[in-house]
Amino acid sequence: MVSKNQIKFISSLHLKKNRITNQLFIAEGVKVIQELLKSNFILEHLYCTEPIFDEVNPILKSIVSESDLKKISALSTPNNCLAVFKIPVTTPIIEKGIILALDDIRDPGNLGTILRLCDWFGISQVICSEQTVDLYNPKVVQATMGSISRVNVSYLNLESFLQKTTLPIFGTFMDGSNVYKENLPKEAIVIMGNEANGISPEIENTIKNRLTIPRFGDLQLTESLNVASATAIILSEFRR
């Protein structure tokens, strides 16, 4: 059973301002919740339509009806479980290895997929511009499929950070050098830009190494790649 006040409170966490105020976020689905329970994330409460997650303290778990779960879910078709977790303290950035920088990524699905890619390629640090979609947006959390627990994500003034770093900075552009022919370093900051506009002029001014993913089609009419797809290719080349 979920009270009206609980429903109202959990639903409020769909909005960024309320997540920030309460330092809480929601996660949905068995896979995502399992991954978060195995991590350092702290569970606030778990709501399920059936008795699952035996490892969770009964005090932190409630069995609810499907209709009540739908009221608190951020999904159009809810799963059978939803959990509320505490937002952890951000870990300081360590300037070593490959760091992925995101300049104004707006689509939650793209950010979630990019974090899964970072998890896959062993990129443990991601820095985001302050305009990038919130990491704890329910759609982002869902799209990460648990990778959110294994990648350190920081939000900051990206331009200021890039002006101070000692690492080489790489950016992706339509007119850059062919990524397949470049000798890429083991330590660098790699910047991916906004879905519609690419890397902003302010950030572009900090970049000395311009990369591109060449088109191979005969007609070459495709304007651009989806940012998550482009990230997969770029990270793969840095790891090759």
Side-chain angles (χ1 to χ4, degrees):
M1 182 68 181
V2 189
S3 69
K4 290 183 178 180
N5 284 339
Q6 285 177 309
I7 291 173
K8 184 178 180 180
F9 176 73
I10 297 167
S11 299
S12 76
L13 298 177
H14 297 179
L15 298 178
K16 179 180 178 179
K17 64 177 183 179
N18 295 322
R19 292 193 293 271
I20 293 172
T21 299
N22 296 286
Q23 287 298 290
L24 296 170
F25 72 98
I26 64 173
E28 301 191 59
V30 173
K31 169 66 176 174
V32 176
I33 294 173
Q34 278 180 338
E35 292 293 324
L36 294 179
L37 289 174
K38 290 187 294 184
S39 72
N40 293 325
F41 281 72
I42 298 173
L43 176 67
E44 182 77 6
H45 205 85
L46 175 64
Y47 303 88
C48 305
T49 58
E50 54 190 286
I52 51 179
F53 296 110
D54 293 337
E55 70 275 23
V56 173
N57 188 325
I59 297 174
L60 300 177
K61 183 167 60 173
S62 298
I63 301 298
V64 301
S65 66
E66 291 185 7
S67 61
D68 279 346
L69 188 67
K70 189 171 184 177
K71 291 175 184 176
I72 60 176
S73 174
L75 303 175
S76 54
T77 305
N79 284 283
N80 59 347
C81 51
L82 178 150
V84 178
F85 285 92
K86 293 182 179 179
I87 294 177
V89 176
T90 303
T91 305
I93 302 163
I94 301 173
E95 294 187 49
K96 63 182 293 185
I98 302 298
I99 298 175
L100 184 67
L102 303 178
D103 180 19
D104 195 19
I105 300 299
R106 294 299 181 96
D107 183 84
N110 281 336
L111 179 56
T113 300
I114 287 171
L115 293 184
R116 288 184 70 188
L117 289 167
C118 287
D119 193 14
W120 181 269
F121 286 108
I123 308 299
S124 61
Q125 298 186 98
V126 174
I127 53 178
C128 298
S129 67
E130 293 162 333
Q131 296 76 33
T132 294
V133 62
D134 178 32
L135 172 65
Y136 297 106
N137 178 303
K139 292 180 180 178
V140 174
V141 176
Q142 186 75 14
T144 69
M145 293 302 290
S147 291
I148 190 174
S149 65
R150 293 183 289 273
V151 180
N152 181 44
V153 180
S154 301
Y155 286 76
L156 41 70
N157 184 314
L158 187 55
E159 182 182 4
S160 177
F161 178 87
L162 295 173
Q163 288 172 343
K164 297 174 184 177
T165 186
T166 58
L167 292 175
I169 302 172
F170 289 77
T172 50
F173 300 90
M174 294 300 292
D175 62 350
S177 300
N178 186 335
V179 68
Y180 301 125
K181 297 181 179 179
E182 286 295 301
N183 185 18
L184 302 173
K186 292 183 178 180
E187 293 199 336
I189 294 175
V190 182
I191 304 172
M192 305 302 294
N194 173 267
E195 292 89 343
N197 303 311
I199 293 173
S200 62
E202 297 78 15
I203 301 303
E204 183 176 356
N205 290 335
T206 68
I207 298 170
K208 294 183 178 179
N209 305 284
R210 300 169 69 95
L211 298 174
T212 194
I213 301 168
R215 291 177 291 188
F216 291 95
D218 292 336
L219 297 178
Q220 298 199 4
L221 296 178
T222 305
E223 290 186 2
S224 64
L225 284 172
N226 168 274
V227 66
S229 299
T231 301
I233 295 168
I234 294 293
L235 293 184
S236 178
E237 286 302 303
F238 267 90
R239 287 306 196 199
R240 189 154 65 93

